[in-house]
Structures are given as C-alpha cells and as structure tokens.
C-alpha cells in the first residue's frame, strides 16, 4: 500500500515518512528564479577632458555616441570639458552647438576682457553672455548628474564641484592660470582643474560609473606649439589681427642681432606648450592607475589655444575619433535600449 500523502500547502505535498516530492522541488526552483532580480545595466560615465579651444570636439563625441545608441548616465568635465558637459547635462547642447558654429573670430576677440591682475582675461564677458543666454540651474537640478573639477590655488588639492551654481562651477574649472583670473568659491581660490586631473576618470567612478568613456584632447599635441608655421595675415583693420598678434611671435617685433640665432617661441606658445606637457604627463599617470574602459582621442594638434572660432573642425574630429574606437565600444555591449 503506497504511503499516505499529507497536503501542507499550495503545490506542496510530502509523502508521510518520506521526502519532498518532485512537484515541491520544481515549485521551489521556479519561485527562486522569480525572486532573483534581473542583472543591472552598467552605469555609463562620460569624462570630458581639458584642452581649451580643442574642447569643442566634445560636442562631436557626444553626437556620435548618441547616434550609435549610447547615452551616458552621468557626465563630468575638466576645464573646457566642464563647459560642454554642463551644456549637455542641462539639455542645452543643441543651442550650445548652434552658438559655437556661429562663432567667428570677431566674437572670440569680443570676449577678451583684459585683466591687470590674476590673469590675462577676466572672463566676465563670457560668463555674462552665458547667463543671458542659458539658464543657470543648480548642479542638483540638471537633467543628468554632472560635476566639474577645479584646483585649489592655495593647497593644490583637487576640488570636485557637485553643488551650487552650474555656471560658477564651470567658471572655476576653466580658470586656466595665466589666461583666466582665478575664482573665489566658499573662501577657496580655485583655478583650472586640468592642473590636477585633466581627464576626470576618477570623478566619474566616484559618481557611480561602472563603465567610463574618457575623452582625451591632448594625446597628440606635445611640441605642436613650438613648430614653425606660417603667419596668416589678417585684413587691415580686422580685429582678427589682434588675435593673430596675440598668438604670433612677440619677439618678431624686436630687432634681431643675428640671423643665425635660433628663433625663440612666443610667450603664448611657451605658456601653451608648458600647459600641454603638464597635462599630458598627468593624464598618462592617472590613467595608468585608473584606466577608463574606452579612450576617445580626437586628433587636434592643428588647433591652437585660442582657436575657439574653428568649432566645426573640432566637432568633426570628435565624431571621427568615436568612429575610430567604435569597435571597442560595441564590444562592451552598452548601447542604450
């Protein structure tokens, strides 16, 4: 005579003096599968590096990523990367790109408000323009998590700006020593974040990124500003002549005692080359310790420190750089559903 079955609950029967039946085992397995959550999609972080006028390439990088179905979950930036990143995180990238593409050399010169202390330019005209044309939300109110990197001029510490005015954070992050005057924020004197973290991979990780796409604008520029290049003449009376003189060799205006003497680079070229060396070395060191999953490196050596009026060229190079590493991006399987 078969053993008597005792019913304990729905879909669960045990044979008296025996073990759980097959029906109970199957039920427990299926219940466990239902309780297990689906694998979490990795969070994608976009780290936008410093690079002055070369920074407009970030727009091309963002466009190419989105066209490939990849939308970051968070973004952070250093210097010019903070400016572009803020426009993206606030949902203003379309208008921002239109402004860039319409910028001429006259507009660049118009933003140059000369300062007698702290830096060559005060930056007030640029910030006034941004405030008048773009809404200055707090960092906490942006559509996408965003943060900027700055440097304490007093201690040399890396400062992560994650609260307060978005434009004030950007202004601190772009305060390139010698070019823009420093910014006072909560009693601290802040300058360009590129001095300590040119491509902020570590900040993206701290914000919760599992996969970091880093954009390095300075991979091909060492020595670029010291190579002789023909001076482009500007039409008489054109304000572009002012920019040419600023970027040109100031020593060419001085008498030379010997034609055999090596021609020294201009003050601006020395400043730009010094900054490039520093940022390239720091970037290599930091990426060796905390490498991103993908490095996008636009080829931008032909653009100078103040070539902000050449946005289309930079944006196109940004797109091309993404295409060059798309195989690596695709291998990660991170396309947005």
């Amino acid at each position: 005579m078969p053993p008597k079955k005792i019913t304990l609950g729905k879909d669960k029967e045990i044979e008296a003096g025996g073990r759980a039946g097959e029906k109970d085992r199957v039920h427990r397995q299926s219940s466990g599968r239902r309780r297990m959550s689906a694998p979490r999609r990795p969070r994608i972080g976009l780290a936008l590096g410093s690079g002055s006028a070369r920074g407009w390439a970030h727009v091309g990088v963002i466009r190419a990523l989105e066209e490939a179905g990849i939308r970051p979950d968070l973004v952070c930036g250093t210097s010019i990367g903070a400016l572009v990143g803020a426009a993206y995180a606030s949902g203003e990238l379309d208008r921002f790109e239109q402004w860039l593409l319409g910028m001429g050399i006259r507009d660049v010169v118009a933003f140059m408000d000369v300062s007698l202390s702290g830096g060559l330019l005060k930056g007030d005209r640029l910030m006034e323009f941004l405030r008048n044309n773009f809404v200055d939300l707090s960092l906490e109110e942006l559509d996408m998590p965003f943060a900027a990197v700055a440097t304490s001029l007093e201690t040399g510490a890396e400062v992560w700006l994650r609260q307060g005015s978005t434009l004030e954070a950007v202004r601190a992050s772009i305060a390139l020593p010698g070019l823009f005057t420093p910014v006072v924020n909560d009693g601290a004197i802040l300058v360009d974040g590129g001095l300590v973290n040119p491509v902020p991979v570590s900040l993206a990780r701290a914000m919760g990124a599992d996969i970091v796409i880093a954009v390095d604008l300075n991979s091909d520029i060492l020595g670029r500003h010291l190579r002789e290049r023909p001076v482009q003449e500007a039409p008489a009376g054109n304000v572009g002549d002012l920019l040419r003189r600023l970027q040109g060799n100031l020593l060419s205006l001085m008498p030379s005692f010997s034609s055999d003497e090596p021609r020294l680079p201009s003050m601006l070229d020395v400043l730009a080359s010094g900054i490039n060396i520093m940022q390239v070395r720091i970037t290599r060191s930091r990426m060796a310790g905390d490498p991103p999953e993908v490095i996008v490196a636009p080829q931008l050596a032909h653009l100078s420190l103040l070539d902000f009026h050449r946005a289309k060229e930079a944006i196109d190079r940004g797109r091309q750089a993404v295409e060059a590493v798309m195989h690596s991006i695709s291998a990660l399987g991170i396309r947005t559903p």
Side-chain angles (χ1 to χ4, degrees), residues 250-316:
L250 299 181
L251 292 181
S252 65
L253 303 177
M254 303 295 291
S256 175
F257 294 98
S258 171
S259 58
D260 295 331
E261 292 181 0
R263 188 180 183 188
L264 294 177
S266 71
M267 179 179 66
L268 189 66
D269 283 345
V270 172
L271 175 64
S273 295
I275 292 171
N276 292 342
I277 291 170
M278 174 195 68
Q279 293 193 347
V280 168
R281 300 291 292 185
I282 293 173
T283 298
R284 289 176 181 174
S285 177
R286 297 202 63 152
M287 282 193 180
D290 187 7
E293 281 65 32
V294 178
I295 300 177
V296 180
Q299 302 300 293
L300 300 161
H302 64 293
L303 294 182
S304 298
L305 187 70
L306 300 177
D307 281 344
F308 293 102
H309 59 292
R310 300 172 66 178
K312 187 177 186 308
E313 297 173 58
I315 292 172
D316 290 344

Side-chain angles (χ1 to χ4, degrees), residues 1-305:
M1 183 175 178
K4 183 179 178 182
K5 293 182 179 179
I6 305 172
T7 302
L8 300 179
K10 184 179 181 182
D11 293 332
K12 186 174 181 181
E13 295 179 342
I14 295 180
E15 294 181 348
R19 60 184 177 180
E22 182 67 19
K23 193 173 184 180
D24 173 50
R25 183 178 64 81
V26 173
H27 173 68
R28 283 187 283 111
Q29 288 181 347
S30 62
S31 298
R33 282 195 296 267
R34 284 197 297 268
R35 286 194 298 269
M36 292 176 60
S37 60
R40 179 177 65 86
R41 186 181 73 85
R43 298 192 75 201
I44 304 170
L46 183 61
L48 304 179
S50 60
S52 193
R54 296 184 292 275
W56 299 156
H58 289 313
V59 177
V61 170
I62 293 170
R63 295 301 192 196
L65 288 175
E66 290 203 329
E67 289 168 7
I70 300 166
R71 180 173 174 80
D73 298 289
L74 58 93
V75 62
C76 58
T78 297
S79 194
I80 195 70
L83 177 57
V84 177
Y88 183 41
S90 62
E92 291 280 11
L93 191 63
D94 290 342
R95 288 206 304 134
F96 186 76
E97 183 178 9
Q98 290 175 2
W99 170 58
L100 299 183
L101 293 174
M103 186 185 300
I105 197 168
R106 291 178 181 270
D107 301 302
V108 176
V109 175
F111 285 127
M112 294 184 177
D113 45 359
V114 178
S115 171
L116 298 179
S117 64
L120 181 63
L121 306 174
K122 289 185 290 186
D124 291 346
R125 292 181 185 174
L126 173 62
M127 298 310 294
E128 181 181 3
F129 173 85
L130 294 175
R131 284 194 181 92
N132 292 337
N133 291 273
F134 299 93
V135 178
D136 182 18
L137 298 174
S138 69
L139 293 169
E140 301 91 329
E141 295 177 310
L142 297 180
D143 297 340
M144 179 185 298
F146 168 78
V149 180
T151 304
S152 169
L153 189 62
E154 299 162 298
T155 66
E158 180 176 347
V159 179
W160 292 349
L161 301 170
R162 304 178 67 173
Q163 295 179 329
S165 164
T166 298
L167 287 183
E168 289 301 320
V170 169
R171 176 63 182 87
S173 190
I174 67 173
L176 186 64
L179 186 61
F180 282 109
T181 56
V183 171
V184 177
N185 186 298
D186 288 335
I189 302 176
L190 302 180
V191 293
D192 197 303
L195 296 180
V196 291
N197 199 353
V199 185
V201 175
S202 58
L203 176 53
R205 300 270 190 221
M207 294 172 68
D210 301 303
I211 293 175
V212 177
I213 300 174
V215 186
D216 181 6
L217 304 177
N218 303 314
S219 63
D220 67 334
I221 60 171
L222 284 184
R224 176 255 178 268
H225 291 282
L226 301 182
R227 301 171 196 153
E228 284 199 30
R229 56 190 183 276
V231 177
Q232 296 180 350
E233 293 294 336
N238 193 314
V239 291
D241 184 58
L242 174 62
L243 185 59
R244 179 184 62 79
R245 288 178 182 274
L246 182 62
Q247 292 182 300
N249 193 332
L250 299 181
L251 292 181
S252 65
L253 303 177
M254 303 295 291
S256 175
F257 294 98
S258 171
S259 58
D260 295 331
E261 292 181 0
R263 188 180 183 188
L264 294 177
S266 71
M267 179 179 66
L268 189 66
D269 283 345
V270 172
L271 175 64
S273 295
I275 292 171
N276 292 342
I277 291 170
M278 174 195 68
Q279 293 193 347
V280 168
R281 300 291 292 185
I282 293 173
T283 298
R284 289 176 181 174
S285 177
R286 297 202 63 152
M287 282 193 180
D290 187 7
E293 281 65 32
V294 178
I295 300 177
V296 180
Q299 302 300 293
L300 300 161
H302 64 293
L303 294 182
S304 298
L305 187 70

